[in-house]
Amino acid sequence: MRHLIDIRDFSKEEIDELLGVAERIIADPIAFQDRCAHKRLATLFFEPSTRTRLSFEAAMQALGGSVLGFSSADSSSAAKGESVTDTVRTVACYADIIAMRHPKEGAPFLASRRSTVPVINAGDGGHNHPTQTLTDLLTIHREKGRLDNLKIGMAGDLKFGRTVHSLITAMLQYEGISFVLMSPPELRIPSYLREMLDREGVPYLETDEMEAHLGDLDILYMTRVQKERFFNEEDYVRLKDRFILDTEKMQYAAAEMKILHPLPRVNEISVKVDDDPRAVYFDQVKNGMIVRMALILKLLDEAGKESTK
Amino acid sequence: MNIDGVENGIVIDHIQPGDSMRIYRLLELDELDCSVAIIQNVVSRKHGRKDIIKIDQDMDVDLDALGYIDPRITVNIVQNNELVAKKHLELPRRLWNIVDCKNPRCITSVEDEVDQVFELVDPERELYRCVYCEAAAEKQAL
């Protein structure tokens, strides 16, 4: 049974194929509107995330399927102490595919080992968020026309930002990628990612400066510096403004650079930047639904082939 | 110092000096109903000094656990006072329920009845990571 738990579960070729399906959906959505008729998606959100949950639900509905599920652990049997594996085994009796968000890292992986239907990781703690990565990849591909030979800047919370972790992991497969990782020293990428970059020989720079690097970037991936991650207020106050993107900083950026953000935004991108043609984070939201449609189709298709074997 | 030989059992040899008690605890040798000898700091031609554990009973030894602690350990199987097999260990590809994940955000910290599984990601550095959350295994915690 195929699942998507980690972006590494899919080969480069499979990702390219998914992005190709996404492009076909964008070109002709009507052709896909009944492709999941009589199919059901369960959204098991043990942690609230309205944006991601709605994206999955909209994706399934756009394919003609139906959805069921819950939007927080409080409204599920988890509140009674039911295990993740029991919840998944139960829900797999009602649904053809499951999208799971869980605050604990590795929960969707555990679920996939027990589930009889495909499981999609819709975010697990600070660990992975592979469908956000597919969203990012589709957006980068649509905006830049390629996924190789890119200099990607990432700014903000790179330690707990799971979208950052998954995107770095995915980009390792493409030629000519380099990273500029801009964060406070306290919020640098986890060591396993640094090891991965070193092992793959991918160039990267870790810095707590932003302006000096904006002019070289093809992509700027913004994330929020999260106040709650700091142990003392002083450090947060000292660092928070360095990673706020405003129109002043945008003067240093290249004309062709594109700004992505997994959203929700708080204050790390000034609303004045929204009108800049380089800001594509709201296009990213639309792309997220499209690529989730492509993913649901792929996993259901593979599950169908398996059941007819 | 004289320690009787093993008639039917196991001799765990070439243990790093000082590691024998860790292995004793890990393999729960205190629960065996047979003679167990821990010999510490013996002169070794190969390694200078070593520890040895002699178990006077045939038992299934978790070779993965021993290989994780030290792949240079050898396990000798003795039957009727004769050495019948000598097992050289290596770093296991996967660790099953040998170390616990210390990441409080890992699903294994809350879900009951879940195996603790770690995968070898860097043999040179003997680095293992939790298959659920990718936290590194803490060897000292054994």
Side-chain angles (χ1 to χ4, degrees):
Chain A
M1 177 70 62
R2 287 300 298 277
H3 309 276
L4 176 61
I5 305 302
D6 186 306
I7 195 68
R8 289 169 290 184
D9 293 341
F10 283 0
S11 67
K12 181 171 174 284
E13 290 70 30
E14 285 178 309
I15 290 174
D16 292 345
E17 179 199 317
L18 265 181
L19 301 187
V21 173
E23 289 291 352
R24 294 212 304 277
I25 294 170
I26 292 168
D28 186 7
I30 304 297
F32 291 84
Q33 67 182 0
D34 295 319
R35 290 282 296 274
C36 283
H38 313 297
K39 295 286 183 188
R40 208 172 281 145
L41 165 78
T43 50
L44 309 187
F45 276 56
F46 292 85
E47 177 183 73
S49 172
T50 309
R51 186 181 310 272
T52 305
R53 186 170 54 82
L54 291 183
S55 178
F56 271 107
E57 293 183 0
M60 192 54 164
Q61 286 169 359
L63 292 166
S66 57
V67 294
L68 77 171
F70 53 83
S71 56
S72 78
D74 297 343
S75 56
S76 79
S77 289
K80 299 179 195 162
E82 187 180 46
S83 67
V84 167
T85 47
D86 281 4
T87 304
V88 164
R89 288 179 78 166
T90 306
V91 171
C93 299
Y94 311 137
D96 301 285
I97 187 165
I98 291 170
M100 179 194 278
R101 159 74 59 103
H102 201 285
K104 291 288 182 185
E105 298 170 2
F109 174 68
L110 175 65
S112 73
R113 294 172 69 167
R114 297 292 176 88
S115 177
T116 52
V117 301
V119 174
I120 301 170
N121 182 1
D124 61 332
H127 186 217
N128 275 320
H129 196 357
T131 59
Q132 179 63 47
T133 306
L134 292 173
T135 303
D136 301 338
L137 293 176
L138 179 60
T139 306
I140 293 170
H141 192 264
R142 301 211 85 214
E143 295 296 333
K144 304 300 287 185
R146 65 185 193 278
L147 288 172
D148 52 10
N149 296 306
L150 293 166
K151 189 164 197 171
I152 301 172
M154 295 177 152
D157 175 4
L158 309 186
K159 182 176 184 180
F160 297 100
R162 58 192 164 200
T163 61
V164 166
H165 305 166
S166 289
L167 183 57
I168 290 176
T169 307
M171 293 312 299
L172 294 181
Q173 302 185 78
Y174 296 92
E175 295 289 325
I177 298 297
S178 61
F179 293 100
V180 180
L181 304 170
M182 299 167 279
S183 72
E186 297 88 335
L187 294 175
R188 287 188 177 162
I189 56 168
S191 60
Y192 78 90
L193 278 174
R194 202 171 291 114
E195 287 159 15
M196 214 187 279
L197 288 164
D198 291 337
R199 207 164 45 235
E200 300 293 328
V202 174
Y204 65 96
L205 170 73
E206 292 188 281
T207 174
D208 58 0
E209 290 296 333
M210 196 174 180
E211 290 92 328
H213 303 284
L214 288 178
D216 299 331
L217 302 177
D218 298 301
I219 299 290
L220 173 60
Y221 197 89
M222 289 296 299
T223 64
R224 183 167 63 97
V225 174
Q226 298 165 90
K227 188 177 179 183
E228 61 273 24
R229 305 292 188 197
F230 283 84
F231 291 115
N232 72 65
E233 179 91 14
E234 263 177 43
D235 283 347
Y236 172 70
V237 170
R238 179 170 54 83
L239 295 163
K240 67 183 174 67
D241 291 342
R242 195 173 292 168
F243 299 96
I244 289 180
L245 188 66
D246 52 24
T247 48
E248 199 180 311
K249 284 202 186 77
M250 282 302 292
Q251 291 172 22
Y252 299 101
E256 298 302 315
M257 188 190 83
K258 299 293 177 186
I259 310 159
L260 279 71
H261 189 302
L263 302 181
R265 157 180 61 179
V266 180
N267 67 339
E268 60 279 9
I269 302 178
S270 157
V271 289
K272 288 181 183 162
V273 176
D274 294 359
D275 297 328
D276 191 307
R278 293 170 285 188
V280 296
Y281 29 88
F282 288 109
D283 301 304
Q284 217 176 331
V285 176
K286 179 87 183 283
N287 291 337
M289 181 193 75
I290 303 289
V291 86
R292 286 180 176 104
M293 290 170 71
L295 175 65
I296 290 168
L297 284 173
K298 177 181 172 62
L299 292 179
L300 285 178
D301 185 42
E302 293 198 16
K305 282 179 192 160
E306 219 166 276
S307 67
T308 55
K309 268 183 191 171
Chain B
M1 183 172 65
N2 289 325
I3 305 281
D4 286 345
V6 169
E7 191 180 334
N8 285 297
I10 291 159
V11 178
I12 305 172
D13 201 359
H14 301 119
I15 301 168
Q16 287 264 53
D19 274 355
S20 51
M21 282 312 292
R22 285 210 300 166
I23 291 170
Y24 181 83
R25 283 192 295 269
L26 184 78
L27 299 181
E28 297 175 336
L29 299 181
D30 56 326
E31 289 179 13
L32 293 179
D33 188 21
C34 69
S35 305
V36 176
I38 295 175
I39 312 162
Q40 294 185 313
N41 223 22
V42 185
V43 174
S44 161
R45 270 176 298 173
K46 268 190 196 167
H47 307 297
R49 292 276 171 183
K50 65 178 181 180
D51 287 2
I52 302 170
I53 299 177
K54 294 185 176 187
I55 307 160
D56 201 13
Q57 177 182 299
D58 197 13
M59 64 175 283
D60 282 331
V61 174
D62 188 341
L63 298 178
D64 282 350
L66 287 180
Y68 173 60
I69 289 178
D70 186 353
R72 288 168 299 184
I73 287 172
T74 51
V75 177
N76 303 304
I77 314 293
V78 179
Q79 284 174 5
N80 298 321
N81 292 308
E82 282 191 18
L83 176 68
V84 294
K86 187 185 265 286
K87 294 181 180 175
H88 294 281
L89 305 183
E90 53 187 26
L91 281 177
R93 202 175 60 79
R94 281 196 161 196
L95 304 176
W96 287 85
N97 299 321
I98 295 170
V99 280
D100 290 342
C101 186
K102 294 286 184 279
N103 176 7
R105 295 184 302 274
C106 181
I107 185 68
T108 58
S109 67
V110 290
E111 187 96 346
D112 291 335
E113 309 293 326
V114 177
D115 288 320
Q116 296 277 348
V117 186
F118 283 77
E119 208 158 52
L120 181 63
V121 292
D122 186 345
E124 237 167 66
R125 294 167 55 209
E126 301 187 5
L127 180 67
Y128 287 84
R129 291 203 177 276
C130 173
V131 299
Y132 300 96
C133 71
E134 295 182 81
E138 292 178 32
K139 204 164 185 176
Q140 294 310 312
L142 269 179

